[in-house]
Amino acid sequence: MSANTSATPQPAKMKKDESFLGKLGGTLVRKKKSKEVSDLHEEGKNAINAPMLPTGTEIHPEDTLMEENAERIMLDPTSRENLKFKDLLKVLIDWINSELEEDRIIVKDLEEDCYDGQVLQKLFEKLSGRKLNVAEVTQSEIGQKQKLLTVLEAVNEMLRPHGWTIEWSVDSIHSKNLVAIVYLLVALAMHFQAPIRLPEHVSAQVVVVKKREGILQTALVTKELTSTTEMMMGRFERDAFDTLLDHAPDKLNVVKTSLITFVNKHLNKLNLEVTELESQFADGVYLILLMGLLEDYFVPLYNFFLTPESFEQKVHNVAFSFELMQDGGLKKPKARPEDVVNLNLKSTLRVLYNLFTNYKNSD
């Protein structure tokens, strides 16, 4: 009897457990369905709010929280992979690193390294010769934006009188808007006549997200970052070589003959002779040897490629010759090593003429 009594409740307990699991399972199913409905609702809202959004561009959570009439700009992913755009980024990064070498600042990524104002502050101070009254290190967002405000006010005050359109702001730079950062750096490079060659006709597509009457509206806009070299340099006074090449080509041969006479006066000491300025200095070897002769020292052969074969080796040689020129007290050449290697006559003439004016009386 007792056995029957003890055995009878067990099926009821089993049903209770099964009922509990069933309820738990039902709860999980309902939660899953609820999440699916929520996801579907969110997907539908995004589809309504951004019908024209380019493939590969994501709506960020902060976009849906934008205030009415607010605007947000994002770089289209396809532009980020554009080779000319990548080349422009590399030229700007190399330029910044060259300018800030003494400060031991190394920039690797424009978005991550420029947004807080530290690099932009140092770069502006180096280029302008002005010291800005800002804190050296700022970790807080408020401090970073205050530094950016001070830097950009100084930049804008300098650029506006020269007709520049301000395409950047504290918020756009601090939010790591790459297009705004590039616009700013290109403007600084052009204004201060940086010794670099900006790639021509670089543009980027940006996605502009606006909030109107609670609905997100998107549009794809093309931003022109650089034009032709002539137009970009047209903001500045043209130098003697621009005038010579454009308006007095008949005198060009006279200048080339004078420069050839000058370089051969020294290179002949090594039984070397130049007949073509464009091609014979393009690998950098003669420039390095010429600097050694002008400054009266021997350049160790392990410092450069005596018989360069690749483009990179030639660029290394020309860049090294530029370092020797600076060690000799000359200003850094305005030409890019790549331009000399690419047989750019104007760039080669500028480099050689700089040597001529400084060493024309050397034996």
Side-chain angles (χ1 to χ4, degrees):
M1 185 70 173
S2 59
N4 290 338
T5 304
S6 61
T8 303
Q10 288 184 3
K13 185 178 181 182
M14 291 288 290
K15 288 180 181 178
K16 182 178 179 182
D17 290 341
E18 287 172 0
S19 176
F20 172 75
L21 291 175
K23 289 180 179 179
L24 178 61
T27 301
L28 292 176
V29 168
R30 283 194 297 274
K31 286 186 176 180
K32 182 178 179 182
K33 287 183 178 179
S34 176
K35 185 178 185 303
E36 288 175 349
V37 170
S38 176
D39 290 345
L40 186 62
H41 174 72
E42 188 66 27
E43 184 179 346
K45 185 172 71 172
N46 288 343
I48 295 171
N49 285 347
M52 301 300 291
L53 199 63
T55 304
T57 304
E58 297 179 357
I59 284 286
H60 297 273
E62 59 266 29
D63 292 335
T64 58
L65 301 176
M66 288 170 58
E67 295 182 2
E68 185 67 17
N69 296 321
E71 182 176 291
R72 187 169 183 268
I73 297 177
M74 301 172 287
L75 180 65
D76 184 52
T78 56
S79 291
R80 191 179 290 272
E81 297 304 316
N82 182 276
L83 293 180
K84 292 179 71 173
F85 183 73
K86 285 184 173 182
D87 186 31
L88 176 59
L89 297 186
K90 183 179 184 305
V91 169
L92 292 173
I93 288 173
D94 290 345
W95 169 56
I96 295 173
N97 288 335
S98 175
E99 291 290 345
L100 301 183
E101 185 177 10
E102 293 180 2
D103 294 295
R104 297 185 178 181
I105 291 176
I106 299 177
V107 171
K108 295 182 179 180
D109 184 288
L110 292 181
E111 292 162 293
E112 296 298 328
D113 296 332
C114 292
Y115 82 96
D116 62 359
Q118 181 76 9
V119 169
L120 294 176
Q121 172 213 337
K122 294 294 184 182
L123 181 64
F124 178 78
E125 290 180 340
K126 173 70 184 299
L127 296 172
S128 67
R130 289 176 53 189
K131 183 70 176 176
L132 298 177
N133 185 23
V134 293
E136 281 301 311
V137 180
T138 51
Q139 297 293 339
S140 69
E141 180 178 337
I142 295 176
Q144 291 170 352
K145 287 189 172 182
Q146 183 57 52
K147 173 179 281 191
L148 273 173
L149 178 63
T150 302
V151 173
L152 295 185
E153 282 181 346
V155 170
N156 297 348
E157 181 184 347
M158 177 187 64
L159 294 180
R160 273 203 181 97
H162 297 276
W164 285 96
T165 300
I166 307 303
E167 298 276 1
W168 51 85
S169 66
V170 170
D171 288 335
S172 64
I173 298 293
H174 194 266
S175 64
K176 304 179 184 180
N177 182 325
L178 185 56
V179 173
I181 294 171
V182 169
Y183 263 128
L184 174 59
L185 293 174
V186 168
L188 289 174
M190 290 169 59
H191 181 81
F192 287 103
Q193 302 183 51
I196 59 177
R197 190 177 185 86
L198 297 170
E200 296 182 321
H201 299 298
V202 180
S203 61
Q205 287 192 320
V206 297
V207 180
V208 181
V209 182
K210 300 179 182 180
K211 195 166 189 178
R212 298 289 185 270
E213 298 181 358
I215 297 177
L216 295 184
Q217 301 176 354
T218 64
L220 201 59
V221 179
T222 300
K223 296 282 190 178
E224 184 182 272
L225 302 173
T226 66
S227 55
T228 64
T229 299
E230 288 72 19
M231 290 182 66
M232 288 189 286
M233 297 306 294
R235 292 177 176 268
F236 315 114
E237 183 179 350
R238 291 162 62 80
D239 65 15
F241 287 107
D242 290 308
T243 304
L244 185 70
L245 290 171
D246 293 345
H247 304 292
D250 53 313
K251 295 182 180 179
L252 179 61
N253 287 331
V254 176
V255 174
K256 291 172 69 174
T257 300
S258 298
L259 292 176
I260 288 175
T261 301
F262 163 70
V263 297
N264 280 336
K265 172 185 174 183
H266 299 282
L267 289 176
N268 284 166
K269 299 172 186 176
L270 298 177
N271 294 321
L272 300 174
E273 186 169 357
V274 170
T275 57
E276 288 291 333
L277 293 179
E278 301 98 311
S279 59
Q280 289 184 268
F281 285 97
D283 63 7
V285 175
Y286 277 14
L287 283 174
I288 294 170
L289 298 177
L290 183 58
M291 279 308 303
L293 292 166
L294 293 172
E295 287 290 329
D296 195 24
Y297 57 70
F298 174 76
V299 182
L301 298 180
Y302 59 77
N303 281 333
F304 65 100
F305 299 96
L306 189 59
T307 55
E309 297 179 356
S310 67
F311 180 81
E312 289 74 18
Q313 290 177 347
K314 294 176 183 178
V315 169
H316 168 86
N317 281 357
V318 177
F320 178 58
S321 75
F322 285 5
E323 292 178 15
L324 297 180
M325 294 173 196
Q326 290 176 274
D327 290 342
L330 279 70
K331 290 184 178 181
K332 184 177 181 179
K334 290 185 176 182
R336 289 199 314 162
E338 291 86 350
D339 296 332
V340 176
V341 175
N342 283 326
L343 308 179
N344 185 295
L345 176 60
K346 193 186 298 185
S347 297
T348 305
L349 288 178
R350 283 195 175 102
V351 173
L352 294 176
Y353 189 75
N354 192 29
L355 295 179
F356 175 76
T357 55
N358 284 274
Y359 297 101
K360 59 185 176 183
N361 296 322
S362 299
D363 294 330

